Amino acid sequence: MREFSLEIPAPEKWGEGLVSVPQGEPIDIEVRLESVHEGILVSGTADTEMAGVCGRCLTDIAEPVEVEFQELFAYPGEEAEDFEVRDDHVDLEIVVRDAIVLSLPFQPVCQPDCPGLDPETGERLTESTAERRQEPVDPRWAALRQYTPDPDGDAPRRDAER
């Protein structure tokens, strides 16, 4: 068994959604290599930072990403394997990339209760906005604004007493 600590830059941009790991972002890898009967069992963690925009309010966000991975690299043989030991080396790029990209959120938010953008003005809605505008009335219901309830509507009806 051998353990290694590595720091490598991301070789390219990892991720395609609202957030990704930019090219050149440092990735800290703690890896453990164990010899087993079938090949080399690789397990470890990778730490880096993702960057992108909030899916609700479009503000820039950057958050740490920590993933765990484990993969068996088989010794070359007659059967084709996804991951093989080549010249006594294992290539961790695909394993680490897949673990990081799959852990990235599909709809990232800057805070769990992010209110997003105002649908009319496009401005960010925040908790600090003290004044709340009155919601616009649907034009189909505008005619009901002119309706006033009968002032005697609260009084009991005489027909109900009989």
Side-chain angles (χ1 to χ4, degrees):
M1 179 196 57
R2 293 188 182 169
E3 294 181 342
F4 297 97
S5 295
L6 309 167
E7 182 177 313
I8 58 166
E12 58 188 35
K13 176 184 167 188
W14 286 350
E16 293 296 326
L18 294 174
V19 292
S20 62
V21 175
Q23 181 176 359
E25 182 71 30
I27 303 170
D28 295 319
I29 300 174
E30 298 289 327
V31 66
R32 179 179 182 174
L33 306 168
E34 297 178 71
S35 178
V36 294
H37 181 68
E38 298 86 14
I40 297 176
L41 180 64
V42 177
S43 53
T45 60
D47 299 316
T48 189
E49 190 168 290
M50 68 176 184
V53 295
C54 174
R56 294 183 190 161
C57 68
L58 303 177
T59 58
D60 291 335
I61 56 174
E63 295 182 7
V65 176
E66 182 178 337
V67 295
E68 294 181 0
F69 58 89
Q70 185 173 38
E71 191 64 52
L72 176 65
F73 285 78
Y75 293 124
E78 296 174 10
E79 295 183 28
E81 298 289 336
D82 290 337
F83 299 104
E84 288 186 350
V85 177
R86 298 188 192 276
D87 298 326
D88 293 332
H89 292 85
V90 295
D91 185 4
L92 295 178
E93 181 180 352
I94 295 172
V95 175
V96 173
R97 182 196 65 209
D98 288 351
I100 289 175
V101 170
L102 290 175
S103 73
L104 296 177
F106 183 68
Q107 289 293 329
V109 290
C110 57
Q111 57 188 13
D113 57 345
C114 176
L117 299 174
D118 186 320
E120 291 183 8
T121 64
E123 295 177 4
R124 290 188 183 105
L125 297 173
T126 59
E127 297 296 326
S128 63
T129 306
E131 64 179 59
R132 293 286 181 190
R133 294 180 305 155
Q134 184 176 356
E135 292 291 322
V137 177
D138 189 329
R140 297 172 290 184
W141 296 97
L144 292 177
R145 282 186 172 222
Q146 298 170 359
Y147 172 75
T148 57
D150 184 20
D152 296 332
D154 292 338
R157 294 180 58 195
R158 293 182 190 235
D159 294 338
E161 294 176 1
R162 293 185 204 175

